[in-house]
PDB file of all heavy atoms in Angstrom:
ATOM      1  N   SER A  17       1.678  11.942  -9.814  1.00 54.00           N
ATOM      2  CA  SER A  17       0.962  13.224  -9.730  1.00 54.00           C
ATOM      3  C   SER A  17       1.941  14.382  -9.787  1.00 54.00           C
ATOM      4  O   SER A  17       1.708  15.397 -10.451  1.00 54.00           O
ATOM      5  CB  SER A  17       0.137  13.273  -8.431  1.00 54.00           C
ATOM      6  OG  SER A  17      -0.793  12.226  -8.408  1.00 54.00           O
ATOM      7  N   LEU A  18       3.067  14.265  -9.054  1.00 47.00           N
ATOM      8  CA  LEU A  18       4.074  15.322  -9.065  1.00 47.00           C
ATOM      9  C   LEU A  18       4.667  15.513 -10.453  1.00 47.00           C
ATOM     10  O   LEU A  18       4.882  16.632 -10.931  1.00 47.00           O
ATOM     11  CB  LEU A  18       5.168  14.984  -8.050  1.00 47.00           C
ATOM     12  CG  LEU A  18       6.287  16.021  -7.895  1.00 47.00           C
ATOM     13  CD1 LEU A  18       5.709  17.355  -7.467  1.00 47.00           C
ATOM     14  CD2 LEU A  18       7.330  15.525  -6.903  1.00 47.00           C
ATOM     15  N   LEU A  19       4.911  14.397 -11.147  1.00 46.00           N
ATOM     16  CA  LEU A  19       5.473  14.470 -12.495  1.00 46.00           C
ATOM     17  C   LEU A  19       4.502  15.140 -13.452  1.00 46.00           C
ATOM     18  O   LEU A  19       4.873  15.989 -14.263  1.00 46.00           O
ATOM     19  CB  LEU A  19       5.818  13.057 -12.978  1.00 46.00           C
ATOM     20  CG  LEU A  19       6.439  12.954 -14.388  1.00 46.00           C
ATOM     21  CD1 LEU A  19       7.744  13.747 -14.441  1.00 46.00           C
ATOM     22  CD2 LEU A  19       6.687  11.490 -14.748  1.00 46.00           C
ATOM     23  N   LEU A  20       3.196  14.748 -13.329  1.00 49.00           N
ATOM     24  CA  LEU A  20       2.191  15.375 -14.190  1.00 49.00           C
ATOM     25  C   LEU A  20       2.061  16.863 -13.909  1.00 49.00           C
ATOM     26  O   LEU A  20       1.916  17.685 -14.812  1.00 49.00           O
ATOM     27  CB  LEU A  20       0.829  14.678 -13.982  1.00 49.00           C
ATOM     28  CG  LEU A  20       0.702  13.275 -14.581  1.00 49.00           C
ATOM     29  CD1 LEU A  20      -0.646  12.669 -14.205  1.00 49.00           C
ATOM     30  CD2 LEU A  20       0.850  13.333 -16.095  1.00 49.00           C
ATOM     31  N   SER A  21       2.126  17.248 -12.633  1.00 50.00           N
ATOM     32  CA  SER A  21       2.016  18.665 -12.285  1.00 50.00           C
ATOM     33  C   SER A  21       3.209  19.441 -12.814  1.00 50.00           C
ATOM     34  O   SER A  21       3.079  20.570 -13.308  1.00 50.00           O
ATOM     35  CB  SER A  21       1.895  18.834 -10.764  1.00 50.00           C
ATOM     36  OG  SER A  21       3.076  18.380 -10.138  1.00 50.00           O
ATOM     37  N   ARG A  22       4.398  18.847 -12.744  1.00 52.00           N
ATOM     38  CA  ARG A  22       5.583  19.534 -13.269  1.00 52.00           C
ATOM     39  C   ARG A  22       5.486  19.709 -14.785  1.00 52.00           C
ATOM     40  O   ARG A  22       5.805  20.762 -15.333  1.00 52.00           O
ATOM     41  CB  ARG A  22       6.834  18.741 -12.907  1.00 52.00           C
ATOM     42  CG  ARG A  22       7.201  18.846 -11.442  1.00 52.00           C
ATOM     43  CD  ARG A  22       8.459  18.049 -11.145  1.00 52.00           C
ATOM     44  NE  ARG A  22       8.843  18.178  -9.735  1.00 52.00           N
ATOM     45  CZ  ARG A  22       9.890  17.548  -9.208  1.00 52.00           C
ATOM     46  NH1 ARG A  22      10.631  16.743  -9.963  1.00 52.00           N
ATOM     47  NH2 ARG A  22      10.177  17.728  -7.923  1.00 52.00           N
ATOM     48  N   ARG A  23       5.022  18.636 -15.469  1.00 51.00           N
ATOM     49  CA  ARG A  23       4.872  18.748 -16.917  1.00 51.00           C
ATOM     50  C   ARG A  23       3.823  19.795 -17.267  1.00 51.00           C
ATOM     51  O   ARG A  23       3.975  20.585 -18.205  1.00 51.00           O
ATOM     52  CB  ARG A  23       4.472  17.383 -17.485  1.00 51.00           C
ATOM     53  CG  ARG A  23       5.588  16.356 -17.475  1.00 51.00           C
ATOM     54  CD  ARG A  23       5.122  15.052 -18.071  1.00 51.00           C
ATOM     55  NE  ARG A  23       6.214  14.068 -18.092  1.00 51.00           N
ATOM     56  CZ  ARG A  23       6.057  12.815 -18.509  1.00 51.00           C
ATOM     57  NH1 ARG A  23       4.845  12.395 -18.926  1.00 51.00           N
ATOM     58  NH2 ARG A  23       7.096  12.000 -18.511  1.00 51.00           N
ATOM     59  N   HIS A  24       2.719  19.782 -16.489  1.00 50.00           N
ATOM     60  CA  HIS A  24       1.672  20.774 -16.749  1.00 50.00           C
ATOM     61  C   HIS A  24       2.193  22.193 -16.513  1.00 50.00           C
ATOM     62  O   HIS A  24       1.912  23.118 -17.283  1.00 50.00           O
ATOM     63  CB  HIS A  24       0.473  20.470 -15.848  1.00 50.00           C
ATOM     64  CG  HIS A  24      -0.688  21.405 -16.101  1.00 50.00           C
ATOM     65  ND1 HIS A  24      -1.354  21.454 -17.318  1.00 50.00           N
ATOM     66  CD2 HIS A  24      -1.276  22.319 -15.302  1.00 50.00           C
ATOM     67  CE1 HIS A  24      -2.320  22.349 -17.253  1.00 50.00           C
ATOM     68  NE2 HIS A  24      -2.288  22.906 -16.040  1.00 50.00           N
ATOM     69  N   GLY A  25       2.993  22.372 -15.458  1.00 50.00           N
ATOM     70  CA  GLY A  25       3.559  23.689 -15.184  1.00 50.00           C
ATOM     71  C   GLY A  25       4.521  24.130 -16.263  1.00 50.00           C
ATOM     72  O   GLY A  25       4.549  25.279 -16.672  1.00 50.00           O
ATOM     73  N   ALA A  26       5.351  23.185 -16.753  1.00 49.00           N
ATOM     74  CA  ALA A  26       6.283  23.531 -17.827  1.00 49.00           C
ATOM     75  C   ALA A  26       5.534  23.908 -19.076  1.00 49.00           C
ATOM     76  O   ALA A  26       5.908  24.830 -19.808  1.00 49.00           O
ATOM     77  CB  ALA A  26       7.216  22.333 -18.093  1.00 49.00           C
ATOM     78  N   SER A  27       4.411  23.175 -19.349  1.00 50.00           N
ATOM     79  CA  SER A  27       3.611  23.511 -20.537  1.00 50.00           C
ATOM     80  C   SER A  27       3.008  24.893 -20.411  1.00 50.00           C
ATOM     81  O   SER A  27       3.011  25.684 -21.348  1.00 50.00           O
ATOM     82  CB  SER A  27       2.510  22.452 -20.710  1.00 50.00           C
ATOM     83  OG  SER A  27       1.671  22.804 -21.784  1.00 50.00           O
TER      84      SER A  27
END
Side-chain angles (χ1 to χ4, degrees):
S17 300
L18 182 59
L19 181 60
L20 287 175
S21 64
R22 287 181 178 178
R23 288 181 179 177
H24 183 63
S27 176

